[in-house]
DNA sequence: TTGACAAATATGCCTGATGCATATATGCTA
DNA sequence: TAGCATATATGCATCAGGCATATTTGTCAA
């Protein structure tokens, strides 16, 4: 939509008929869930809040949307601010707009999620006092009070600010839904990977074990996975062949 | 996100550290695609714009989001304004925020889609000078210039305002993706329906024909379709059994 | 140098779902 | 009351997924 439909449709100029300052506008922000898989666990990048509200809690990195900036551009700017994450898979997730989600003023937030493989994330030195990679604990699907928890390396729950737990919960559901459909699994792996690594990504996202043989057959038959001719080295057993993702079909 | 992360984290009160009037905010609107299936065609409710910009073009019904109103509530309010569409399936689709999508000022629009069966829509008297049910012509998936067209009953293209063609395109993709997964097909049918009607819904959304026997077996085996014991009447051939949707698996 | 190891890779079979063809049932209409 | 058009039922071939078993191959330790 755009003009106020309820307005009398007389012949004033469109500038006169739409006065942006005539009523208050909400603030618009983006929040970005940077997700990776490490040691068979889903993890997300969290930053500690240093200001009210929810001071001391953990939140997704975010920022306000500039007046001349697209939503995607705002999300990429937030990513760039977090140590140079560029060229990563980024997709809009959902828009959160409960009137009281921020106690200060009305803030509507467009949530995004980015997928990175753990090596890339560790390279840019994420862990610090105000930034960490938190493990996502996903309760059983549809379970009562099935909210996603973020925990530290010792399993202690990290308190999340605002509705960011809802955002992370939606990320998990979206990943499960798009896993087969789109090439999401590959975004969480380095450029070359073994089928075992790919299966671990699938099993982590789906939170269930998969049949090894049929997984292998299905992936090879899909044509989205092509052998590079190389194989792993120094793994203490027969090395697996390395594959890469093929976008075409 | 919420506070300005770049701000110095000193000890001023949070009210002082966040001045909503210090920088301009975009307008926030919702647009709702009311979708139905009639005569084996996907159709959407369009309204004719009576003001600039895109005066005379067709657009999705929409409205601005109130400062104390959730996004879902805003979308339902828009629906209620269109002749009393309540209790319909409504789901957030995607948020469109290109800086120039509205030439007047920055407007960020959260697109929704609603699913209705055609009887319900016809009952409330949709067709008029400024409102109509337009057929969606969906080009072959991934085809060059694969934009969705809205056409009138004679097949003439209706010009769409803003990025509303993109919105309708996304609706179609979303419907295809969620068709098997969620109970979307049933929202486009009356409370009791035949398996043939359900198959037509599936074929219309997927834009391909399905095997009748396996479709029937699959639906009955899914447990989401239960017989009511009743059957159609006066159809000029053997009447089909009537079924209804069962939410519990 | 060689054998044990651990996981990758290969092969075969069973089962269930889907595609397809054919046969039968049934309310409506002329 | 016969014919019609479509629903419903049954049988079979094909294919993908689940599962078990056998073989292959770098690594590491004796």
């Amino acid at each position: 939509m755009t003009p106020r439909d309820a307005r009398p449709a007389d012949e004033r100029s469109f500038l006169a008929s739409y006065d942006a300052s005539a009523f208050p506008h909400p603030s618009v922000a983006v929040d970005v869930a940077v997700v990776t898989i490490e040691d068979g666990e889903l993890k997300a990048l969290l930053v500690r809040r240093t200001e009210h509200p929810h001071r001391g809690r953990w939140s997704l990195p975010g920022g306000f949307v500039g007046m001349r900036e697209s939503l995607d551009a705002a999300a990429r700017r937030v990513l760039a601010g977090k140590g140079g994450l560029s060229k990563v898979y980024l997709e809009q997730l959902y828009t959160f707009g409960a009137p009281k989600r921020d106690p200060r003023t009305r803030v509507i937030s467009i949530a995004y999620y980015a997928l990175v493989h753990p090596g890339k994330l560790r390279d840019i030195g994420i862990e610090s006092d105000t930034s960490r990679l938190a493990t996502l604990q996903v309760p059983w699907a549809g379970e009562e009070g099935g909210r996603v928890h973020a925990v530290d390396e010792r399993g202690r729950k990290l308190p999340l600010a605002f509705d960011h737990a809802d955002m992370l919960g939606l990320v998990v559901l979206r990943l499960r839904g798009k896993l087969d459909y789109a090439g999401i699994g590959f975004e969480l792996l380095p450029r070359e990977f073994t089928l075992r690594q790919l299966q671990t990504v699938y099993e982590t996202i789906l939170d269930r074990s998969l049949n090894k043989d049929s997984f292998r057959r299905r992936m090879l038959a899909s044509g989205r996975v092509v052998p590079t001719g190389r194989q792993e080295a120094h793994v203490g057993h027969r090395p697996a062949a390395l594959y890469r993702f093929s976008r075409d079909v």
Side-chain angles (χ1 to χ4, degrees), chain A:
Chain A
M1 122 82 193
T2 298
R4 314 199 73 180
D5 287 328
R7 234 167 230 277
D10 57 5
E11 283 301 320
R12 295 173 294 181
S13 82
F14 72 87
L15 280 174
S17 69
Y18 182 86
D19 181 358
S21 62
F23 52 96
H25 292 181
S27 300
V28 179
V30 292
D31 291 306
V32 184
V34 180
V35 176
T36 192
I37 288 182
E38 196 179 48
D39 306 326
E41 287 181 323
L42 265 180
K43 300 187 178 182
L45 178 63
L46 298 181
V47 295
R48 187 192 280 274
R49 288 185 54 76
T50 58
E51 291 186 32
H52 276 92
H54 299 300
R55 181 195 193 118
R57 288 180 176 248
W58 295 87
S59 72
L60 302 180
F64 286 103
V65 175
M67 279 299 273
R68 289 185 183 79
E69 181 185 48
S70 75
L71 305 178
D72 288 10
R76 293 227 173 255
R77 176 170 52 77
V78 168
L79 276 178
K82 293 297 151 191
L85 282 175
S86 59
K87 294 187 200 163
V88 302
Y89 181 92
L90 178 71
E91 184 177 293
Q92 188 183 306
L93 176 67
Y94 196 81
T95 298
F96 292 78
K100 300 284 188 183
R101 58 180 294 279
D102 189 314
R104 296 165 301 180
T105 182
R106 184 75 191 275
V107 181
I108 288 167
S109 177
I110 297 114
Y112 277 76
Y113 68 98
L115 302 180
V116 199
H117 68 269
K120 189 158 192 168
L121 212 48
R122 293 290 181 191
D123 282 352
I124 62 176
I126 284 300
E127 302 277 338
S128 73
D129 278 358
T130 57
S131 173
R132 74 185 313 157
L133 210 49
T135 297
L136 300 184
Q137 285 187 344
V138 185
W140 190 245
E143 194 184 349
E144 193 63 42
R147 290 172 69 95
V148 167
H149 297 138
V151 302
D152 65 14
E153 55 286 340
R154 296 193 209 167
R156 291 173 302 199
K157 270 178 64 173
L158 300 170
L160 289 173
F162 306 109
D163 45 13
H164 290 192
D166 296 331
M167 292 181 181
L168 288 173
L170 253 193
V171 169
V172 174
L173 294 182
R174 179 72 62 90
L175 289 177
R176 286 181 186 165
K178 293 199 78 168
L179 187 55
D180 282 316
Y181 166 61
I184 280 203
F186 310 103
E187 306 293 343
L188 293 161
L189 289 171
R191 204 171 59 80
E192 299 196 352
F193 52 85
T194 68
L195 291 180
R196 160 61 63 191
Q197 289 176 303
L198 184 60
Q199 184 171 350
T200 298
V201 167
Y202 271 63
E203 292 181 332
T204 303
I205 291 177
L206 298 175
D207 199 25
R208 65 188 178 89
S209 60
L210 298 173
N211 183 279
K212 182 177 172 177
D213 301 272
S214 72
F215 179 82
R216 156 184 292 269
R217 272 183 305 210
R218 193 156 56 91
M219 285 302 136
L220 294 176
S222 76
R224 286 211 296 234
V225 146
V226 294
T228 64
R230 277 185 290 280
Q231 51 183 212
E232 336 172 75
H234 314 295
V235 282
H237 53 80
R238 175 171 175 178
L242 289 171
Y243 295 82
R244 63 179 175 75
F245 175 50
S246 168
R247 208 164 295 273
D248 31 84
V249 174

